[in-house]
């Protein structure tokens, strides 16, 4: 399905482009706006961004796939990212990940049937000093235990 930015987001993009002498440099914030509008970065979204920023579609794809914050398929209303990299792993990251899998009945990259939650196991999110941690959409929750993580999930249900 074709993707077009709405007027409000086109305005935001134009403002961003004023800051960059080379349009291509704006690809990350523009991808972010696209994700806000569309929920994920589809092929059609990448095509539209490539056209707006005078880029090759393959270059937009490269940026999209490199960064875990861009969803490559539809995500749930609450996208749960659980870090299982070294610091988080040593302090219970896998236990949290396992508890979420069991509670939600989904595994990495899946969405619950009601579309409310999606789960992703991720690499370090730069918050190792407060491991273990998760992100719910854009918000970080740190210094967690499995119990606290399940409370967070409950508060979103
Ligand atoms: S290892 Fe989990 S945030 Fe760095």
């Amino acid at each position: 399905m074709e993707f077009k930015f709405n007027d409000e987001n086109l305005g935001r993009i134009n403002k961003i482009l004023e800051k960059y002498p080379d349009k291509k440099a704006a690809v990350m914030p523009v991808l972010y706006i696209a994700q806000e509008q569309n929920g994920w970065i589809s092929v059609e979204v990448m095509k539209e961004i490539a056209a707006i920023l005078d880029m090759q579609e393959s270059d937009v794809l490269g940026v999209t796939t490199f960064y875990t914050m861009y969803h490559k398929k539809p995500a749930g209303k609450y996208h749960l990212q659980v870090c299982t990299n070294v610091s988080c792993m040593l302090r219970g990251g896998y236990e949290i990940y396992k508890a979420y899998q069991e509670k939600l009945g989904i595994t990495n990259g899946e969405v619950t049937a009601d579309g409310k939650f999606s789960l992703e196991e991720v690499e370090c999110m730069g918050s190792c000093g407060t491991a273990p941690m998760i992100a719910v959409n854009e918000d970080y929750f740190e210094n967690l235990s499995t119990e606290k993580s399940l409370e967070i999930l409950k508060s979103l249900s």
Side-chain angles (χ1 to χ4, degrees), residues 39-122:
W40 64 293
I41 308 298
S42 63
V43 172
E44 292 75 18
V45 168
M46 287 188 253
K47 278 186 181 165
E48 182 64 7
I49 291 176
I52 289 175
L53 300 181
D54 294 330
M55 291 176 75
Q56 296 293 321
E57 288 168 26
S58 57
D59 290 337
V60 180
L61 174 68
V63 176
T64 305
T65 51
F66 184 79
Y67 293 98
T68 57
M69 65 201 179
Y70 301 122
H71 306 319
K72 273 65 85 179
K73 55 186 184 177
K77 178 180 178 194
Y78 298 110
H79 184 62
L80 309 168
Q81 292 179 292
V82 183
C83 176
T84 56
N85 212 315
V86 181
S87 300
C88 289
M89 177 189 71
L90 292 172
R91 294 180 52 85
Y94 272 114
E95 284 73 17
I96 294 169
Y97 181 55
K98 212 170 131 197
Y100 277 2
Q101 283 181 299
E102 281 169 10
K103 195 82 188 166
L104 296 169
I106 56 174
T107 189
N108 194 37
E110 293 182 345
V111 185
T112 52
D114 62 2
K116 201 159 182 188
F117 295 100
S118 48
L119 182 62
E120 187 178 3
E121 180 183 8
V122 295

Side-chain angles (χ1 to χ4, degrees), residues 9-19 52:
N9 284 338
L10 277 177
R12 290 169 72 194
I13 291 168
N14 286 333
K15 277 216 169 91
I16 289 168
L17 290 178
E18 286 169 12
K19 294 185 208 159
I52 289 175

